[in-house]
Amino acid sequence: MIKAILIFNNHGKPRLSKFYQRYSEDTQQQIIRETFHLVSKRDENVCNFLEGGLLIGGSDNKLIYRHYATLYFVFCVDSSESELGILDLIQVFVETLDKCFENVCELDLIFHVDKVHNILAEMVMGGMVLETNMNEIVTQIDAQNKLEKSEGWVLFGVFCLSSLYTQAGLAGAPARAVSAVKNMNLPEIPRNINIGDISIKVPNLPSFK
Amino acid sequence: MALKMVKGSIDRMFDKNLQDLVRGIRNHKEDEAKYISQCIDEIKQELKQDNIAVKANAVCKLTYLQMLGYDISWAAFNIIEVMSASKFTFKRIGYLAASQCFHEGTDVIMLTTNQIRKDLSSPNQYDTGVALTGLSCFVTPDLARDLANDIMTLMSHTKPYIRKKAVLIMYKVFLKYPESLRPAFPRLKEKLEDPDPGVQSAAVNVICELARRNPKNYLSLAPLFFKLMTSSTNNWVLIKIIKLFGALTPLEPRLGKKLIEPLTNLIHSTSAMSLLYECVNTVIAVLISLSSGMPNHSASIQLCVQKLRILIEDSDQNLKYLGLLAMSKILKTHPKSVQSHKDLILQCLDDKDESIRLRALDLLYGMVSKKNLMEIVKKLMIHVDKAEGTTYRDELLTKIIDICSQSNYQYITNFEWYISILVELTRLEGTRHGHLIAAQMLDVAIRVKAIRKFAVSQMAMLLDNAHLIASNTQRNGICEVLYAAAWICGEFSEHLEEANQTLEAMLRPKVTTLPGHIQAVYVQNMVKLYASILQQKEQAGEKEAAQEITQLMIERLPQFVQSADLEVQERASCILQLIKYIQKLQIKEVPVAEEVIALFAGELNPVAPKAQKKVPVPEGLDLDAWINEPPSDSESEDEKPKTIFHDEEQRHSRHRQPEIDEEELARRREARKQEQANNPFYIKSSPSPQKRYQDTPGVEHIPVVQIDLSVPLKVPGMPMSDQYVKLEEERRHKQKLEKDKKKKKQKKEKRGKHHRHNSLQTESEEDIAPAHRVDIITEEMPENALPSDEDDKDPNDPYKALDIDLDKPLADSEKLPVQRHRNVEALKSPDSEAPLVEKKSKKPKKKEKKHKDKEREKDKGKKKEKEKKVVEEEEEKKGEDLDFWLSTAPPPASSTQPQGEPETSAAVVAEPQEVKKEEREEQEEEEDDEGKKSSKHKKKKHKKEKEEKSKDKKKSKKKSHQNKEETAESVQNGTLEDEPLPPMSSYRLLAENPYIKMTYDIQGNLQHDSQVTVSVIFENKSSSFLKSMELNVLDSLNTKMLRPEGSSVHDGIPVPFQLPPGISNEAQFVFTLQSIVMAQKLKGTLSFIVKNDEGSTHDKLDFKLHFSCASYLITTPCYSDAFAKLLESGDLHMSSIKVDGISISFQHLLAKICFHHHFSVVERVDSCASMYSRSIQGHHVCLLVKKGENSISIDGKCNDSTLLSNLLDEMKETLSKC
């Protein structure tokens, strides 16, 4: 079982929190802070597993995380999950985000946390892995977006995208520079080499070796 | 109206949406809280509006705020409003918010039940999906109970997208509403074989979670999972299954034996590290469950260790970490195989990654031996010095102690070394494990008698240097060791050489800064020390010295009497009085030492930690019974506060004694000394008449003491344990030399006399004799201690409720609650039971009028139950089958073998090598027996008898014949009554000559829609040896034998075994087919060499391989509702047959169809049954079998009419034989 999925940035600001167990809002914040504290002090080239998530569950649990550019993706799981499998799942998650947002960066997550939730809901349900095939996930997300569009409520999404980056502290920057920022943030996502040969569902993830 | 709408949308333009909110928060970094509270006010306004879009927008923003830590439960009702919006866009927002903030304590959650039910049955799959996703996060026991049935229906939804979600959420439902587990389980199990891989994976996921908590209930599923494991290609599923097996094997070692081979194959073949790792893990679990001493498994261990070494050596830190993790599991049972990788693990200790270092430390625990313990600990001590950060250093400390103390200090040969290590560890700053070191010191000193002298000298040194340690007075800090030091010095004071000095050290004023419990021990042990000094002095006749020491005590003890700690205070004042009394006696020149020492007579033995728990309750003792009548509550309440108050007062009064400062003390002491000197009554001591210790060393020279040079004194700054390492090495070397000498001598003596004694003795661990004769005192246990060692399980385990026996038949009361106040028609679920029943009752009406509606009505109610019953029964039998499945190597397992193996290898797959010959033989006999009902081989007779016996044991004699067949399951489908079925075998005769007999069976291959596996049993009937068998088949256009790559179509395939006389064995051949709608026949030849005493001859046997249409079918269970849907769908062709002259019972007839034609019974009502099967290419075949007077009529429906008519023809043939 996955106990919680957290995304926060290099400063510990939460970008997404999904708890599959009930915690009060205060405890949730505390968990996020502690997790950030644990994860952020680790070097880049150490292993991605962390034992003793004291707050969630107990000794059976592990924190499995990946660090992409400015964001930490942390999964808190118990012993029924395969460590390497979850690492791959994080990769699938990020790649899916990358596909759905077209070159995802932190700003996408900041302004569209609801969409990120929707994508996540297609992968993990109630703490259990629902789907690991990226194409399948993207298909379902697209179909749901289409459904929304047919209902006529997408306007605000499109509307704000154009204004998003100017407001995000990049005011006045020419459009080209903005797109450069966007690409700069996460270009290395799909090229995380280490797990190449661990990949699950190889045929569906062409970017895996 | 229109105006209002326009106004609404204009309002909306000015509302903040989520993006505006986020942007706003980012722009108000300074006063974020204020800004957010402002926004929340706005949101509250928006929620009051009627426009659902506005509300949804507000809820969307709230969800964001929830992530930032704001409680949004006040908006729960609005969230429900948004959830019930008709538009998917809003609904999704509502469900998301609900999933983030609803929980069991949310009171409005009960309002959602109907809304969720409506969404679950929505025609739009995404409405259903979003409801399921949301529900998975906030399902409560009530919701679970009310919706369980709806969700169960969704498990058979047409869309895999819904099916997989419904399957997954069932786990949450089970957790909240455990009663649903048994009714839902059959369907869940069925989903394990769902055609959609996503659904299959979800089902595996759920069952794995369930089984992990209560593995024993799921043992009966092992064969099914085994099949999945050998056939699945989805790594996620494989990992889950393999992990599950890891949990099951400890319960059933036979399962482990079965698993080893496929797992090893996977380890060899897979390229996915995650899968490899889990396989290794499970193999380890298997090896642990199989008790050691199985020589043939050493290869598996070696394989695991070797693979893990590769992981550990990998540059990827993750793999390194996992490798070490798995290695530590092997360590527990097979320490030897891990020990050879010591180098690698020590290397990991230097890794920059702390997680890896910790894992390596874990491993070291099991790698120590008598030989290398000192070396390893030395290395760790270096790490302790280097380590940054207290956590890691503390971890090192605990590990050092763990390593040394494991299994009763098994590996310690030199306890002096160990004590000095412990003393060195006390120099660690800021550790939180002072108590751990203290406990070790106490334990060693108490239990290893020989070391006491040394321990006492070291502890005295610690007490002397207490100021170094005492600086850190935090709880559990290093000062805890003083507790141990004081106790050891006191208790074993007879070993103390400079007792006076130690006593002085313990009486230092600085001691009063130590924590209370340590001071208390100080005070108590001072007296012990004092007593032993007193005795020494008296024996030596130094009365003056004795009185001096008494005086010292009287002077110093008051500082403890003033202690704030009650315990210290009490002990100190008690002892002070005692010593004052002694002083009086001393002045009267009464020898008191003997009496004082009697206070501490007797030895304290260690008590086992569980001793208290194990004291049996004496018979007739009821601890809960009142001894006196219980006093009324009010009384006790009145009294309590009084006593507390009283107590406190007393303490305070004591506190107010005037404090004596250092100067004053010194002055008094001086004065007393003067007084003593001038005292005319102060008489010098004379030797005691009852001198017991004749050779008490250095009594005259106290405090100058002889230094034992073999025990190096501690030089500050230099770790002295090293010296012991050197000493120990020298000692061992010497020992070895001596031994060698002895050996040589022995050899010389023995030479010429006995040669067998010459075998070289390798130096094993046992050869290293410990430096001291260590008699480790075992811990005391109470008499009559109960042997049980089990600790109680946690009663609050939430998964305990799911510990449900799944094999028991389902009772009526266990049915899932169904919503009854609604009309059946209102339930628009495509899978609901209602349409099925209607359909079912309509169909036969059209065709055969003789079935009356009345009967149907009656059946309606029963149907569902019956269906469940059938499955349950099947379930039950499976449980019994498990034994059989595990005890032999059955064809199902082997028939799936080729799928598990890469196709590139030869198409012929031999039976697993490890399968024991005998088992095989027995099995063949059985088949033989069934096929011909006679045995030709007399010599096997007694074996058969044995077999019979074992069958009797299982009490399912009739079953065991068929159980090994996969199809047995379907046979049981038909057996509603307990009538015995005649034995059946699906193996048909292929060809026979005087040498050899071939029988064969064809099984469809679920994974490949164009392959079937032909299992051929070769039986050597002659007394000659058969070898070089080669099977060749003339391929047709449609049907081809799968040959190894590179061989031509004319090449035969060698049979991968030889047959000694009278033996039979099975080989499998895979054939590919294009069309399966028609039966096929292939001509073939088996060529072989017959070898006997006269020589060898070449021979061959022609045969015709008959692929019936039934052999393309795979027994697939089907639920009646899915069955009904299938019939409804309308794209099936229909055909029917009628066979007259049927004499056997309907049940037998169904069993025959199930067995020979691979069908399963969907439903059976009286003399009418529906049956289902699926072809390897996915054709659905539905049958309605009706029994008349003497005839039987079968209506069939199938996607392909040709296939159907061929199938029916085959069936006619089978039935006409009846």
Side-chain angles (χ1 to χ4, degrees), chain A residues 19-204:
Chain A
F19 290 88
Y20 296 104
Q21 266 174 12
R22 168 67 193 165
Y23 292 103
S24 73
E25 271 74 16
D26 289 341
T27 324
Q28 290 186 1
Q29 292 302 308
Q30 205 183 333
I31 291 172
I32 295 173
R33 271 197 303 274
E34 275 208 29
T35 313
F36 168 69
H37 184 72
L38 282 173
V39 166
S40 62
K41 69 177 181 196
R42 291 174 65 82
D43 288 340
E44 275 302 307
N45 48 3
V46 299
C47 69
N48 298 84
F49 314 120
L50 212 66
E51 271 167 85
L54 290 174
L55 268 170
I56 307 179
S59 58
D60 194 30
N61 291 350
K62 270 200 184 88
L63 293 177
I64 299 175
Y65 73 97
R66 270 176 182 277
H67 190 196
Y68 294 99
T70 59
L71 292 174
Y72 285 99
F73 288 71
V74 186
F75 280 46
C76 180
V77 302
D78 68 13
S79 61
S80 72
E81 299 295 336
S82 146
E83 290 90 347
L84 295 171
I86 293 293
L87 270 184
D88 281 354
L89 188 70
I90 299 179
Q91 180 76 13
V92 172
F93 183 31
V94 174
E95 284 185 31
T96 313
L97 288 176
D98 198 47
K99 250 194 181 166
C100 293
F101 285 108
E102 290 168 14
N103 260 333
V104 69
C105 71
E106 193 185 339
L107 286 172
D108 293 320
L109 271 71
I110 295 173
F111 286 98
H112 300 284
V113 67
D114 50 340
K115 288 190 181 149
V116 183
H117 267 297
N118 294 337
I119 294 168
L120 186 61
E122 293 302 323
M123 292 181 65
V124 180
M125 191 176 126
M128 282 179 291
V129 179
L130 178 69
E131 184 59 69
T132 51
N133 181 336
M134 183 163 59
N135 295 333
E136 172 70 18
I137 299 165
V138 172
T139 313
Q140 298 299 347
I141 290 290
D142 286 348
Q144 291 177 38
N145 289 343
K146 213 174 274 173
L147 181 61
E148 271 199 351
K149 217 174 264 176
S150 71
E151 289 177 346
W153 289 106
V154 263
L155 36 117
F156 55 99
V158 178
F159 163 70
C160 61
L161 260 176
S162 53
S163 62
L164 203 154
Y165 299 104
T166 51
Q167 290 288 323
L170 297 168
R176 201 178 300 153
V178 171
S179 71
V181 168
K182 220 185 165 198
N183 288 328
M184 205 172 61
N185 275 345
L186 276 182
E188 68 269 47
I189 284 183
R191 278 176 282 285
N192 197 302
I193 342 99
N194 283 347
I195 50 144
D197 46 350
I198 326 159
S199 82
I200 282 175
K201 290 235 162 197
V202 187
N204 298 318

Side-chain angles (χ1 to χ4, degrees), chain B residues 903-908 1041-1049 1051-1054:
Chain B
E903 236 92 35
T904 47
S905 67
V908 182
M1041 182 154 76
L1042 203 62
R1043 294 178 166 86
E1045 259 177 75
S1047 51
S1048 84
V1049 282
D1051 288 346
I1053 292 190

Side-chain angles (χ1 to χ4, degrees), chain A residues 1-3 7 13-23 25-26 28-29 32 42-43 45-51 60 62 66 78-89 106-107 109-115 117-118 121-122 124-132 136 139-141 143-145 147-149 151-153 155-157 159-160 163-164 167-169 194-195 197-202, chain B residues 12 17-20 22-23 26-27 29 32 51 53 57 60 63-64 66-73 86-90 92-93 96 99-104 124-127 129-130 132-133 136-137 161 164-166 168-169 171-172 175 197-198 201-202 205-206 209 212-213 234-236 239-240 243 271-275 277-278 281 314-319 321-322 325 352-356 359 799:
Chain A
M1 285 278 281
I2 299 170
K3 306 280 176 169
I7 306 177
K13 279 248 190 288
R15 294 303 175 217
L16 175 124
S17 67
K18 183 87 207 169
F19 290 88
Y20 296 104
Q21 266 174 12
R22 168 67 193 165
Y23 292 103
E25 271 74 16
D26 289 341
Q28 290 186 1
Q29 292 302 308
I32 295 173
R42 291 174 65 82
D43 288 340
N45 48 3
V46 299
C47 69
N48 298 84
F49 314 120
L50 212 66
E51 271 167 85
D60 194 30
K62 270 200 184 88
R66 270 176 182 277
D78 68 13
S79 61
S80 72
E81 299 295 336
S82 146
E83 290 90 347
L84 295 171
I86 293 293
L87 270 184
D88 281 354
L89 188 70
E106 193 185 339
L107 286 172
L109 271 71
I110 295 173
F111 286 98
H112 300 284
V113 67
D114 50 340
K115 288 190 181 149
H117 267 297
N118 294 337
E122 293 302 323
V124 180
M125 191 176 126
M128 282 179 291
V129 179
L130 178 69
E131 184 59 69
T132 51
E136 172 70 18
T139 313
Q140 298 299 347
I141 290 290
Q144 291 177 38
N145 289 343
L147 181 61
E148 271 199 351
K149 217 174 264 176
E151 289 177 346
W153 289 106
L155 36 117
F156 55 99
F159 163 70
C160 61
S163 62
L164 203 154
Q167 290 288 323
N194 283 347
I195 50 144
D197 46 350
I198 326 159
S199 82
I200 282 175
K201 290 235 162 197
V202 187
Chain B
R12 239 195 66 71
N17 61 24
L18 174 62
Q19 282 71 31
D20 297 323
V22 175
R23 201 172 298 137
R26 287 163 69 85
N27 288 339
K29 286 229 162 77
E32 195 183 288
N51 190 332
N57 185 38
C60 185
T63 313
Y64 182 80
Q66 195 274 340
M67 183 181 74
L68 298 182
Y70 290 85
D71 179 22
I72 59 163
S73 54
S86 55
K87 286 208 160 93
F88 171 73
T89 318
F90 303 141
R92 183 153 78 162
I93 292 171
L96 174 61
S99 76
Q100 290 295 85
C101 79
F102 280 12
H103 53 95
E104 277 182 33
N124 179 352
Q125 62 164 330
Y126 291 112
D127 282 351
V130 97
L132 284 172
T133 308
S136 74
C137 289
Y161 178 75
K164 68 181 177 192
K165 286 195 170 197
L168 265 195
I169 203 177
Y171 178 63
K172 294 279 176 167
L175 274 184
S201 150
N205 217 332
V206 169
E209 277 298 331
R212 202 166 69 92
R213 306 294 180 176
N234 180 342
N235 283 356
W236 273 99
I239 286 175
K240 283 279 173 194
K243 264 183 170 279
S271 64
M273 279 299 188
S274 44
L275 185 59
Y277 173 68
E278 297 304 340
N281 252 337
D314 200 288
S315 62
D316 184 347
Q317 297 282 320
N318 292 331
L319 298 184
Y321 173 88
L322 293 176
L325 196 66
K352 59 191 178 308
D353 188 345
E354 195 177 294
S355 313
I356 285 175
R359 288 270 78 88
Y799 305 102

